[in-house]
Amino acid sequence: SEAIRLLDGPGGELADPVEKPESRLGRARALRSMGKLTTEQAAQAAHDYKTAFLLSSREDWDTDQENIEDGASRNPYAAWEWGMALRSAGEYKQAADAHALAAFAFKEVGDKARSVISSLDAGIDLAATADVDETKSVLEKAIKSTTTVEGRDVELLQRVIAKEGEARIALASVLWSANDKGGAESQLGEACLRLDQLDADAQAREAARVKS
């Protein structure tokens, strides 16, 4: 906070241009590292991410929003974190937009797994809004995309499965509220199955590690 105050004060324009966005990003991440945040703390973190992206844009776009999106696209990890901060602040539609941006940015750099995770998070965000149709569309598409994820990073693949389970539970809740009981029960059952498989796999790997 002191660094940000100095950079925003008189003479701050003389600092290295990267220092301002980095100081904002640093404070946002420091806040998120605290664990469970108050709504005010989460909103502060989200604002810092947004400011960091605005300041790190390398193009002279017509609007602040375009500059923010450009800055976020250059750091997909931070874009995903921004979405989580917005979710914690209760800004679910904005969180979904941030996670969708992260999904696109990860896809652009060839990180399929994290792109899918971000898409699932966008759907989970929307499940907290009143837009049932968009929520169903985004969640169903994101869940379907999990089958395309491959790789040797076991922990990352496990994160995809865990996030898929979370997304299916969110979709089940939306379907239940929309009076589609059968669809809700199907999604919940599949979520439980996937999470059970994840747990069994983790136990098997731990047993193999201990045995070796």
Side-chain angles (χ1 to χ4, degrees):
S1 295
E2 179 63 16
I4 292 173
R5 187 185 68 77
L6 292 172
L7 288 167
D8 288 345
E13 69 279 359
L14 300 176
D16 188 318
V18 303
E19 289 189 30
K20 282 192 174 184
E22 286 184 353
S23 65
R24 292 283 182 171
L25 186 58
R27 183 168 70 178
R29 285 176 164 166
L31 282 168
R32 288 199 67 239
S33 71
M34 293 168 58
K36 187 173 178 59
L37 304 180
T38 64
T39 301
E40 292 75 16
Q41 289 171 326
Q44 177 63 66
H47 178 73
D48 281 339
Y49 279 113
K50 180 179 178 179
T51 303
F53 297 142
L54 178 62
L55 294 171
S56 60
S57 175
R58 297 179 185 176
E59 304 291 340
D60 187 19
W61 297 98
D62 293 334
T63 66
D64 281 352
Q65 184 59 34
E66 288 175 309
N67 283 309
I68 290 166
E69 291 175 1
D70 180 60
S73 70
R74 300 176 188 280
N75 191 339
Y77 290 94
W80 179 83
E81 293 165 11
W82 181 31
M84 299 307 287
L86 286 164
R87 181 189 294 178
S88 295
E91 299 291 346
Y92 301 111
K93 183 61 175 69
Q94 292 181 46
D97 291 341
H99 280 136
L101 179 59
F104 178 79
F106 276 125
K107 182 180 179 180
E108 287 292 286
V109 297
D111 194 333
K112 180 68 175 179
R114 289 184 175 84
S115 177
V116 168
I117 288 172
S118 298
S119 293
L120 291 166
D121 270 317
I124 292 168
D125 295 327
L126 289 171
T129 71
D131 196 335
V132 175
D133 290 339
E134 184 181 6
T135 300
K136 288 172 60 178
S137 175
V138 172
L139 279 172
E140 288 171 354
K141 181 179 179 180
I143 289 169
K144 185 177 181 180
S145 71
T146 60
T147 59
T148 66
V149 178
E150 299 176 341
R152 297 182 178 180
D153 188 333
V154 175
E155 289 188 4
L156 183 56
L157 293 176
Q158 289 176 331
R159 280 187 59 200
V160 173
I161 296 172
K163 189 64 69 173
E164 177 194 344
E166 186 180 347
R168 286 186 182 277
I169 291 170
L171 180 55
S173 176
V174 170
L175 293 173
W176 188 271
S177 298
N179 207 34
D180 182 356
K181 310 300 188 198
E185 291 173 352
S186 175
Q187 289 296 333
L188 188 58
E190 188 64 26
C192 292
L193 177 62
R194 296 289 281 161
L195 293 173
D196 284 345
Q197 291 173 340
L198 180 63
D199 183 59
D201 180 67
Q203 290 186 32
R205 290 181 182 280
E206 177 62 19
R209 185 191 66 79
V210 172
K211 186 176 181 180
S212 63

